[in-house]
Amino acid sequence: MSTVRSRPVIGAGVNRVDGPRKVTGAAPYPMDFHVPGQAYAALVQSTIAAGRVIRVDTAAAEASPGVVTVLTHANAPRLERAPVNRLGASPPPPLQDDRILHHGQHIAVVVAETPEQATAAARLVSAEYERTEPLLDLMDPRAPQVDDPWGMDHSRGDAVAALTTAEVTVEETYTTADNTNNPLGPFATLASWDGDHLTVHDTTQWPFVVRSTLATVFGVPESSVRVLAPYVGGGFGAGLRVWPHVILTVAAARVLRRPVKLVLTRPQMFTSVGHRPKSVQRIAVGATRAGDLVGIDHRSISPVAMEDEDYEPIASGTAFAYHCENVLTQDRQAHLNIPNPTSMRAPAEAQGNFALESALDELSYKLGMDPLELRLRNYAEEHPVHSLPWSSKALRECYEVGAERFGWSARTPAPRSMRDGHWLIGLGMAGVSYPWYAADCQAEATVHRDGSALVRSAAADIGTGTYTVMTQLSAECLGLPLERVRFDLGDSDMPAAPQAGGSGLTAALGNAVFDACGRLVKRFAALAARDSESPLYGVAPESVEVTRGRIHPIGQPDRGETYADILGRHDLMELTANGYSKPRSQDELGMALSGAFGAKFVEVRVDADLGLIRVARVLSVIDGGRILNVKTARSQIVGGTVGGIGMALFEDTVTDAPSGRIANGTFGDYLIPVHADVPDLEVVFVGDPDRGSPIGTKGVGEIGLVGVAAAVANAVHHATGKRIRSLPLTLDALL
Ligand code: MOS
C-alpha cells in the first residue's frame, strides 16, 4: 500500500477555508434555510416525569391565530421504530401512545404560520396526567438495570485476589455529574415533502443516519430522502442520533403537505438532544511497595433513559491504559425517568479517566512516589488486552515533553507546600489513552477542464475543520495548490460517510479522499500513457506524481503535463474517481489500532480563605499521529480543554426531585467556563504518523477533554491537601 508517510507530520496551519463564509454570515446553518410556504412548529412538553397523559386539550391552541394543526398522540401518524445503526438505535418515535417516560417529553407539536404564533399557541395547550412515582435516583434498587450493555466488560488475571494481597491499595468511590452538550447552534429541522420524496435540512453529525432512519420511520426508500447539513453549529455528540423533534417535524410536514421548520429553544436543548450521564464509580488499585501495579478493579453505574440505549462503557478504557496483569472492568446502566442521555464529547472515557487518574494520584501519595513516575513505571509498552504492538504510541514522549515544558521538577510533593501570597498553588497531571471509532467511508474526486478539483463526501463539519483539512489533503494528493481545490460535504446524496464523532471522521474520510485522489491521478496517467502526443506516453500510471498541477514521472518534474492538457486533448470536460476506505483489523495489521494519547498538566491556584479555585495553566501534550493542520488540531485540543475545565469545575445538569424537571436548563443557570475561567492553554503535538492507515492520522476531536478533570482534581489536592472525588469540584467542598 502506498502511503503519505514521507510527508511532514505536521500539516500547515492554514486558516479555515469556510472562515470567511462563517464570519460574514454567508454560511447557512440549518435554522437559516427557508422554503416557500413553510410553516413553523413549536413543541409542548410533559410537566411530569412518569405516568400517562389522560387528555391533551388543544382547542384553545387550534383557535389561536395562524395555527394550522396540532398533533398529539391522539392524531399523530403511526410510525415505524428507527433501525439499529452502528452506534445503536435512535430513540423510539414520539406521540405513539399515552405514556410519559420523562419530564420534557414531547406531548404535542403546534404548527402555525409564524414561529411566534406557534410558540404562543403551544402555551395554550394543557394536559391532564395520571402520575406515577418516577425513578430518578441512580442508586434506586427499583430501577431496571442492565449488566454489561455493550459486551465490553473485561477481566484478565484475578483482580480481586491480587487486590487482597497487594502491599498498597486505594479503594474509593468517584462520582461525575450529568453534563449537557450545549452546542452553540440550537438544533433545527426543516422538512419538505414532494410526494414520497423528502428533503430535510437538519442539525446532524451524520447525514447518512438521518437519511436511513427517516426512510424507515416513514416507510419510504432511502433513495427518496435527502438530508442536507452543509454547516452545523457544533454537536459534541448531540447530533449523532435522530431525535423525536426531527421525526415530529417531518411528520407534521407530511400531514400538512407543506414544509415545516422547528428550532429548539435553549431549555429544549437540555431535554431533547441528549446529555452526558452522571456516574458512580468504585475503583480499587493495588501496587507493590515499589509502585508496580498488581491489580485494578473498576466498576461503574450510569443512568439511561427508560426505553432507550446509550453507549457509555465508562470503566472499559481502564482495561488498556496501563500494564497490569490483573484487571477487571464492569459497566452497568440503570433505566430512569430522565431525558435521554447520549454521547457527549469523549463519552465514557471522560468519566472513567477521572476515576482512574484520580485513584492513581492517591496511590502515588500512599507510595510516596511522584505521580508521573508511577505512570511511567506502569507504562503499557504493548496493548494490554490484545498483547500486540500499538500501531503508534508516543505517550512516554507526551509525559517527558510535558514534564519538561511544564516545569514539573519544580513541584514540591507535599500538599499545601507551594504558595503565592494567599493563593495555594497545586500542580497535577493525568495520562490519557484514548480509543477512536474506525468506520468505512467513500469519497469522490473530480478534476475539471480548467484544472480545478472538486472532492466530495456526505460527511458533516461540526466546526472541527473538516472542510479545511480535507481541502488540504485533497490538494496534497492531487498535487494542486489549495485555491484550486474545493471540498464539499453535508449532503446525503454525496458518497457515504460515517458520523462526525468518536474522533473517527478525519481518519475514515481522509483515507477515502487519499484513495479517491490517488485513483484519479492514475486515471489521468493511464490516459496519457496511451497517448503518443503526451510526454507521459508509455509511462506506467504507478510511476507518476503530481507537482504544482503537472503530472510527471516520479522525480522528473520537468517532463510531464497538466490535468487540463490531458482533458483538452481527449476532449473531456472532467475526469472523476471514487475512493473508499475501510479500517484494517488488528489481525490484518498484526498491531493494535492506536487512538490518540496525551498527558495533561494543570496548575491551579486556590484561595486559602475562600476556597475559590482558579485554573492557572493547562499544558496538553498530544500524540495524534499525523496532524493535517496544526491550527485546527490545536483548536480541537483547546476546545476540548475548555470542556474539561467545565466538567471539572462547573457543569452540572440538576434534576429536581420529585418532579424530574431539569432545574437549570438555561445558559444563565447552567455554568460553563467563561473567558475569566480559562487561562492561556498550551498544546504540543508529538509522535509519528500512525502505521494503521495510509494517511497516518489518529483522532483529536475528543482527547482534549479527557484527563483535564483528573489533573485539576489532583492539582486541587496538591494545593490544599483535600481530595475531592466528586465532580464538579466546588468551593464548598474545600471549606
Ligand atoms: Mo462525539 S461524543 O463522538 O460527537
Side-chain angles (χ1 to χ4, degrees):
M1 178 173 42
S2 64
T3 70
V4 288
R5 250 171 243 148
S6 58
R7 310 272 182 175
V9 173
I10 302 285
V14 304
N15 290 335
R16 287 167 188 271
V17 296
D18 49 338
R21 271 173 275 157
K22 283 187 168 173
V23 297
T24 57
Y29 290 85
M31 68 158 73
D32 298 328
F33 287 93
H34 297 275
V35 188
Q38 77 190 22
Y40 296 84
L43 297 166
V44 181
Q45 298 177 286
S46 167
T47 56
I48 66 164
R52 282 189 327 114
V53 62
I54 296 169
R55 203 168 62 86
V56 185
D57 186 347
T58 60
E62 280 162 354
S64 184
V67 170
V68 289
T69 197
V70 182
L71 296 182
T72 69
H73 73 279
N75 63 349
R78 297 304 103 183
L79 300 166
E80 294 300 316
R81 171 107 207 221
V84 175
N85 63 62
R86 278 199 307 275
L87 299 186
S90 285
L95 302 187
Q96 298 300 294
D97 57 47
D98 62 356
R99 295 176 309 144
I100 300 296
L101 301 177
H102 69 85
H103 197 287
Q105 179 180 319
H106 310 322
I107 58 165
V109 59
V110 178
V111 187
E113 298 294 340
T114 71
E116 294 77 11
Q117 289 171 334
T119 303
R123 292 203 188 107
L124 301 176
V125 176
S126 61
E128 258 177 67
Y129 300 99
E130 179 186 297
R131 289 162 201 265
T132 53
E133 190 193 344
L135 293 167
L136 296 170
D137 179 356
L138 181 55
M139 301 319 245
D140 191 325
R142 294 169 302 175
Q145 291 197 353
V146 194
D147 289 340
D148 194 13
W150 313 278
M152 290 175 73
D153 283 3
H154 174 74
S155 179
R156 63 177 184 262
D158 187 342
V160 175
L163 283 158
T164 51
T165 55
E167 289 169 334
V168 184
T169 56
V170 167
E171 183 173 1
E172 294 293 349
T173 297
Y174 299 85
T175 64
T176 64
D178 287 318
N179 292 171
T180 299
N181 308 44
N182 273 318
L184 194 58
F187 275 34
T189 304
L190 168 57
S192 17
W193 287 90
D194 177 7
D196 270 350
H197 284 265
L198 170 66
T199 304
V200 179
H201 291 272
D202 191 35
T203 307
T204 180
Q205 296 173 231
W206 196 0
F208 246 72
V209 94
V210 178
R211 182 176 90 152
S212 59
T213 301
L214 293 178
T216 302
V217 169
F218 289 93
V220 295
E222 282 192 33
S223 56
S224 64
V225 180
R226 185 176 185 192
V227 178
L228 297 160
Y231 294 92
V232 176
F236 310 118
L240 293 173
R241 308 179 81 193
V242 185
W243 297 105
H245 74 271
V246 177
I247 292 172
L248 282 180
T249 310
V250 176
R254 193 173 215 190
V255 167
L256 288 171
R257 299 172 190 274
R258 70 186 272 196
V260 174
K261 177 152 128 180
L262 173 68
V263 182
L264 295 186
T265 64
R266 184 56 62 181
Q268 288 167 351
M269 292 291 289
F270 282 80
T271 55
S272 311
V273 293
H275 66 272
R276 186 198 300 292
K278 64 171 64 165
S279 69
V280 174
Q281 303 174 57
R282 187 86 186 153
I283 185 167
V285 292
T288 64
R289 281 248 157 263
D292 295 316
L293 288 174
V294 296
I296 307 175
D297 181 339
H298 188 178
R299 305 179 196 207
S300 90
I301 182 165
S302 63
V304 63
M306 199 44 88
E307 288 182 4
D308 199 15
E309 46 190 74
D310 173 42
Y311 181 80
E312 213 75 41
I314 288 168
S316 71
T318 294
F320 60 87
Y322 291 96
H323 174 78
C324 179
E325 279 172 18
N326 306 291
V327 177
L328 182 129
T329 71
Q330 270 183 16
D331 291 300
R332 181 182 293 180
Q333 281 182 317
H335 287 281
L336 299 179
N337 292 109
I338 55 170
N340 307 56
T342 202
S343 293
M344 175 167 160
R345 203 170 195 172
E349 285 289 326
Q351 302 98 304
N353 177 282
F354 169 65
L356 176 63
E357 293 295 313
S358 294
L360 287 179
D361 201 70
E362 298 205 43
L363 182 66
S364 76
Y365 277 90
K366 274 203 176 174
L367 289 164
M369 178 180 271
D370 183 273
L372 178 56
E373 191 190 331
L374 178 65
R375 268 88 172 173
L376 286 167
R377 193 175 177 95
N378 294 285
Y379 193 83
E381 298 288 354
E382 64 172 24
H383 195 290
V385 175
H386 305 302
S387 301
L388 285 169
W390 301 88
S391 54
S392 59
K393 182 173 184 177
L395 179 56
R396 187 180 295 283
E397 202 180 341
C398 294
Y399 288 134
E400 289 168 355
V401 169
E404 173 71 28
R405 285 184 88 121
F406 193 73
W408 186 255
S409 62
R411 176 182 185 268
T412 52
R416 295 184 84 90
S417 63
M418 296 176 75
R419 218 178 155 113
D420 176 9
H422 71 288
W423 291 103
L424 302 170
I425 296 175
L427 306 185
M429 56 83 55
V432 188
S433 299
Y434 199 72
W436 59 282
Y437 192 92
D440 298 1
C441 188
Q442 297 172 26
E444 178 192 272
T446 300
V447 168
H448 302 290
R449 184 73 163 255
D450 66 359
S452 69
L454 172 65
V455 184
R456 308 187 314 152
S457 178
D461 184 339
I462 57 175
T464 48
T466 307
Y467 276 114
T468 309
V469 297
M470 291 305 146
T471 304
Q472 286 177 280
L473 185 65
S474 302
E476 179 181 313
C477 296
L478 292 170
L480 286 170
L482 212 55
E483 55 285 357
R484 299 296 284 154
V485 177
R486 190 159 75 85
F487 188 85
D488 210 359
L489 53 71
D491 179 349
S492 66
D493 279 358
M494 294 177 185
Q499 75 283 356
S503 296
L505 182 64
T506 299
L509 179 56
N511 283 302
V513 165
F514 172 75
D515 188 51
C517 294
R519 286 173 195 266
L520 183 56
V521 171
K522 281 207 192 91
R523 283 200 72 188
F524 273 97
L527 270 184
R530 293 195 299 268
D531 176 359
S532 59
E533 287 176 44
S534 169
L536 294 167
Y537 181 57
V539 176
E542 295 72 36
S543 312
V544 304
E545 59 185 353
V546 196
T547 316
R548 287 184 297 281
R550 288 174 68 80
I551 308 183
H552 59 81
I554 292 172
Q556 301 175 48
D558 295 336
R559 187 183 155 198
E561 60 180 340
T562 65
Y563 293 117
D565 293 337
I566 297 171
L567 289 171
R569 255 201 334 280
H570 289 84
D571 211 19
L572 291 168
M573 293 311 294
E574 61 184 37
L575 212 52
T576 292
N578 293 298
Y580 185 66
S581 73
K582 189 176 178 57
R584 288 187 298 166
S585 70
Q586 58 190 29
D587 290 339
E588 284 173 273
L589 287 164
M591 297 181 278
L593 267 181
S594 307
F597 296 93
K600 309 292 175 86
F601 293 84
V602 168
E603 176 183 327
V604 298
R605 295 180 162 231
V606 181
D607 186 299
D609 303 316
L610 302 176
L612 183 71
I613 304 168
R614 286 288 189 209
V615 175
R617 286 194 291 151
V618 183
L619 167 64
S620 304
V621 187
I622 304 292
D623 163 19
R626 183 176 181 234
I627 300 299
L628 293 176
N629 178 323
V630 72
K631 187 174 184 178
T632 52
R634 178 181 182 278
S635 294
Q636 282 295 291
I637 302 303
V638 166
T641 305
V642 175
I645 293 172
M647 181 182 181
L649 298 180
F650 303 107
E651 295 188 54
D652 187 359
T653 308
V654 177
T655 301
D656 173 61
S659 74
R661 173 180 168 269
I662 290 176
N664 59 343
T666 72
F667 270 158
D669 299 307
Y670 181 85
L671 302 184
I672 57 171
V674 298
H675 281 89
D677 299 310
V678 180
D680 280 345
L681 304 174
E682 196 183 357
V683 179
V684 178
F685 291 106
V686 299
D688 295 312
D690 187 70
R691 296 179 293 158
S693 84
I695 67 165
T697 62
K698 303 195 277 191
V700 294
E702 295 171 305
I703 191 169
L705 189 148
V706 190
V708 176
V712 170
N714 295 339
V716 167
H717 168 261
H718 181 234
T720 64
K722 290 213 172 133
R723 180 67 63 178
I724 309 176
R725 302 187 181 92
S726 177
L727 295 181
L729 314 174
T730 49
L731 58 80
D732 53 294
L734 287 172
L735 297 176

